[in-house]
Amino acid sequence: MISTLSPMELLVLVPIALLALCVPPFIAYRRGVERLGLVIVVSLIGAVTGLFWFVALIMAVSMRTRGSGATLRPSA
């Protein structure tokens, strides 16, 4: 399939693919998730398989954020 693409098509498709690869880590970073590194690793694996990219996207949207943990402080 790649061999049938012209160099101009590759020049357009490669940056779009790289940009799509960065979507889950960017969302996770903006949300401030606790395990950003895990989202990045799963997204990189998703670059090869495709399926894990969707897993990384779901993780980025649904993981707990750093500020979401309710902490109880003892009253003085």
Side-chain angles (χ1 to χ4, degrees), residues 3-35:
S3 64
T4 62
L5 295 175
S6 72
M8 193 57 146
E9 290 170 329
L10 282 175
L11 196 62
V12 172
L13 289 177
V14 169
I16 291 173
L18 290 175
L19 185 64
L21 178 65
C22 295
V23 169
F26 179 75
I27 291 172
Y29 174 76
R30 293 292 294 169
R31 287 191 65 235
V33 299
E34 289 180 347
R35 301 186 71 189

Side-chain angles (χ1 to χ4, degrees), residues 21 42-52:
L21 178 65
V42 173
S43 181
L44 289 175
I45 294 170
V48 177
T49 64
L51 174 66
F52 286 112

Side-chain angles (χ1 to χ4, degrees), residues 70-76:
T71 57
L72 298 175
R73 295 184 186 173
S75 58

Side-chain angles (χ1 to χ4, degrees), residues 23-34 36 39 56-68:
V23 169
F26 179 75
I27 291 172
Y29 174 76
R30 293 292 294 169
R31 287 191 65 235
V33 299
E34 289 180 347
L36 176 62
V39 175
L57 186 61
I58 291 169
M59 288 170 58
V61 173
S62 64
M63 287 179 87
R64 185 172 51 189
T65 59
R66 285 185 215 111
S68 68

